[in-house]
Amino acid sequence: MNYLDDQFRLKSGLAEMLKGGVIMDVTNAEQALIAEKAGACAVMALERVPSDIRRDGGVARMAPISKIREIMATVSIPVMAKARIGHFMEAQVLEALKVDYIDESEVLTPADEEHHIDKRAFRTPFVCGARNLGEALRRIAEGAAMIRTKGEAGSGNIVEAVRHIRTIVKEMKQLTVLGKEELVAESKKHQAPLELVQWVAEHGKLPVPNFSAGGIATPADAALVMQLGAEAVFVGSGIFKSNDPENRARAIVKAATYFNDPAKLLEASEELGIGMFGIDIAKLPESELLQTRGW
Amino acid sequence: MRIGVMALQGDFAAHCEALRRVGAEAVEVRTARELEETDALVLPGGESTTMLKLLRLEGLDGKLADYGRRKPIFGTCAGAILLAKHVSSPAQESLGMMDLDVERNAYGRQIDSRVVTVHPEPGAQFDEPVEAVFIRAPIIRKSGPGVRVLIRYNGDPVLVEEGRHMVATFHPELTADSRVHQYFLEKVKGQARA
């Protein structure tokens, strides 16, 4: 299989470099600088953070080019940007702009309700969200070089990210104990290519780095998903919607490194104020969920 | 040989696997105590700005300076930036343990990342060409008289050693070819005997 060809190795190679780190959502150069100074390993440029998208509604699109440029000119760490699901033209513009990674994201309003972007057609690597193993493998089959849990973006509630990382890890473990002849039925069940199902059964992990996103608001949230198997975290609204972005950003960076060390987590959490206001997902109407976008 | 891989951030898992392939015991290092229990250290690829902050947060930067006077360190990409004496684009502080001037992200952004075949210098201990993965890689712009160049790409040094230390601006840990890690392991063994 050509998942390991040179282009693909370069794409997932950059994701390898981000492991153990925190990728922070930023909407302008000033926030990007705060993120970099706090130790972010990359920033994600977007027009509005997910909690504002949730509050204001309307169509959420790729960030304005001038903002992305301003962010790219300000920081030396990798700059990612979001494109709408299926909006390959936004992705082509982002590639021409030379962003380092493209997030085909359910946080933005989908442009295509049936098809995701053909990510193999790009030299710029893509990250995509997933709620379960089948979704992750379908995105990888399309060319995604990094997977992140969808969680529920902008909710400040970790419960969905936990559900998704647990589901993905559990479904991978289950494959490793099955016989070869059983994998064909698994491929059908997960609606994912057999060769990828076989790869996961053999290795017990995804063929690309597996990160977590969607609801991380505290250092303990970050450490929690990492102990559950995530290799790095994305933090969206959690930092710049809190009352102390600098401290919180630094604390989450420390938590992503020392996720197995409760004493260090305590130190990281010590001086934090109040986190962003969170939402009880159970009280959200189905139509307001972001995680159900894409398939 | 027990080789530590600084696991604050970056592709430390890939380095651990590469070291195990050549028969070394690889351990992740995040604290001063874990550092002291190793015979040598790898500073992996990743984001050098992030690593530098985390090193300082735990006081590991000072510990590393002392460690480097006694034991070998191998830095790749971000690790090379941390070990260099001078860092540009943008200027950034570093541990300054090798006589190198390094320019960050010198090939460009991710779209300029590349996999190439590089040819070892005559006399370097690699007889066959090496596959080199460059990801948002730095370029060594200047190296001091004590620095020995093992491999060049486009005329720029990409694998060099100075005394007990070694740096690569590419990522040998991302290929199945273990010769660079093997070479470092031999260096560590030689150092332990001396």
Side-chain angles (χ1 to χ4, degrees):
Chain A
M1 94 169 102
N2 59 355
Y3 295 103
L4 295 176
D5 68 14
D6 283 356
Q7 269 307 315
F8 199 76
R9 281 162 57 204
L10 287 173
K11 291 172 175 178
S12 64
L14 179 55
E16 291 286 335
M17 301 308 146
L18 303 175
K19 282 184 176 177
V22 183
I23 301 142
M24 301 184 192
D25 275 4
V26 297
T27 57
N28 56 44
E30 186 195 352
Q31 289 182 352
L33 203 57
I34 291 173
E36 184 177 55
K37 281 193 173 153
C41 66
V43 291
M44 173 76 72
L46 71 178
E47 187 186 19
R48 293 174 281 169
V49 293
S51 67
D52 286 343
I53 292 173
R54 195 177 277 289
R55 189 193 61 207
D56 301 341
V59 173
R61 311 181 182 94
M62 171 181 82
I65 299 302
S66 60
K67 286 286 176 196
I68 304 175
R69 264 195 206 287
E70 169 191 312
I71 291 165
M72 288 168 70
T74 303
V75 295
S76 63
I77 55 180
V79 175
M80 305 185 178
K82 286 184 192 288
R84 284 178 265 181
I85 289 175
H87 206 316
F88 53 83
M89 203 55 236
E90 281 187 348
Q92 287 176 24
V93 170
L94 290 174
E95 175 157 280
L97 186 59
K98 297 189 175 184
V99 302
D100 297 295
Y101 237 95
I102 298 171
D103 185 2
E104 186 184 19
S105 177
E106 70 283 0
V107 168
L108 306 185
T109 312
D112 190 324
E113 296 189 332
E114 202 168 345
H115 308 103
H116 284 254
I117 296 169
D118 170 19
K119 294 166 274 289
R120 291 184 180 280
F122 291 78
R123 286 177 61 213
T124 307
F126 279 75
V127 52
C128 287
R131 287 164 299 169
N132 52 51
L133 182 61
E135 199 172 5
L137 296 183
R138 287 193 292 278
R139 296 294 84 79
I140 295 167
E142 293 159 358
M146 181 204 300
I147 292 297
R148 56 169 176 76
T149 60
K150 285 181 170 173
E152 188 55 35
S155 70
N157 188 337
I158 195 68
V159 66
E160 294 303 305
V162 167
R163 189 192 319 281
H164 299 161
I165 193 79
R166 275 201 186 274
T167 303
I168 292 171
V169 170
K170 182 179 77 184
E171 290 174 339
M172 291 195 294
K173 278 187 202 156
Q174 286 169 339
L175 288 184
T176 63
V177 297
L178 296 179
K180 271 189 181 156
E181 73 285 3
E182 292 174 292
L183 296 179
V184 181
E186 288 297 310
S187 159
K188 186 176 163 196
K189 182 179 109 189
H190 290 297
Q191 298 182 55
L194 177 60
E195 57 178 355
L196 282 174
V197 169
Q198 286 167 332
W199 198 96
V200 173
E202 189 184 335
H203 297 87
K205 59 177 191 176
L206 294 179
V208 303
N210 186 12
F211 292 8
S212 187
I216 294 162
T218 69
D221 287 347
L224 174 67
V225 288
M226 291 193 64
Q227 282 208 13
L228 288 172
E231 296 169 303
V233 295
F234 288 80
V235 185
S237 322
I239 289 171
F240 290 103
K241 287 293 163 185
S242 73
N243 63 1
D244 54 352
E246 287 93 345
N247 278 336
R248 189 161 293 263
R250 265 202 308 273
I252 296 177
V253 167
K254 185 166 171 176
T257 295
Y258 296 102
F259 67 96
N260 266 330
D261 187 337
K264 290 263 198 289
L265 274 171
L266 173 63
E267 280 172 27
S269 310
E270 202 79 65
E271 284 169 24
L272 290 183
I274 299 164
M276 71 177 280
F277 186 76
I279 299 171
D280 182 354
I281 312 279
K283 299 214 168 92
L284 274 182
E286 180 76 23
S287 63
E288 287 182 24
L289 288 179
L290 301 177
Q291 60 177 280
T292 51
R293 295 167 165 185
W295 68 284
Chain B
M1 284 287 139
R2 189 178 164 91
I3 302 190
V5 180
M6 193 57 83
L8 299 175
Q9 194 273 318
D11 73 335
F12 48 88
H15 269 290
C16 285
E17 278 177 38
L19 287 166
R20 283 173 197 140
R21 276 204 304 272
V22 298
E25 182 192 356
V27 291
E28 294 180 2
V29 169
R30 293 182 178 82
T31 62
R33 212 177 74 193
E34 289 167 342
L35 178 65
E36 268 321 303
E37 291 164 359
T38 59
D39 298 308
L41 183 74
V42 171
L43 292 173
E47 280 311 310
S48 59
T49 54
T50 305
M51 290 181 195
L52 198 58
K53 281 182 183 79
L54 288 162
L55 283 172
R56 290 203 171 134
L57 191 65
E58 295 300 313
L60 282 167
D61 48 343
K63 296 272 188 323
L64 270 184
D66 170 59
Y67 184 95
R69 282 191 282 272
R70 296 177 283 122
K71 295 175 180 179
I73 304 180
F74 174 29
T76 62
C77 199
I81 295 168
L82 291 179
L83 286 174
K85 217 165 234 167
H86 298 286
V87 180
S88 60
S89 172
Q92 174 176 308
E93 290 183 38
S94 58
L95 301 172
M97 294 160 71
M98 289 179 73
D99 195 359
L100 303 171
D101 286 15
V102 167
E103 179 187 339
R104 291 182 61 203
N105 300 332
Y107 296 93
R109 306 194 69 95
Q110 171 63 10
I111 202 152
D112 306 299
S113 292
R114 62 197 74 183
V115 181
V116 297
T117 301
V118 289
H119 297 272
E121 296 289 292
Q125 281 81 342
F126 303 93
D127 40 3
E128 298 286 327
V130 172
E131 186 186 40
V133 180
F134 291 94
I135 295 178
R136 286 174 46 95
I139 290 181
I140 296 172
R141 291 298 183 194
K142 223 171 86 191
S143 55
V147 175
R148 178 172 175 237
V149 179
L150 301 174
I151 301 181
R152 289 178 195 274
Y153 165 58
N154 281 349
D156 299 312
V158 295
L159 180 68
V160 305
E161 61 183 355
E162 183 181 19
R164 63 180 74 87
H165 306 316
M166 180 165 104
V167 306
T169 58
F170 59 97
H171 295 283
E173 72 279 13
L174 294 185
T175 62
D177 181 348
S178 304
R179 285 176 296 158
V180 175
H181 284 84
Q182 183 72 54
Y183 181 71
F184 181 62
L185 183 62
E186 295 308 321
K187 259 175 96 72
V188 176
K189 285 179 179 164
Q191 179 72 24
R193 277 193 297 271

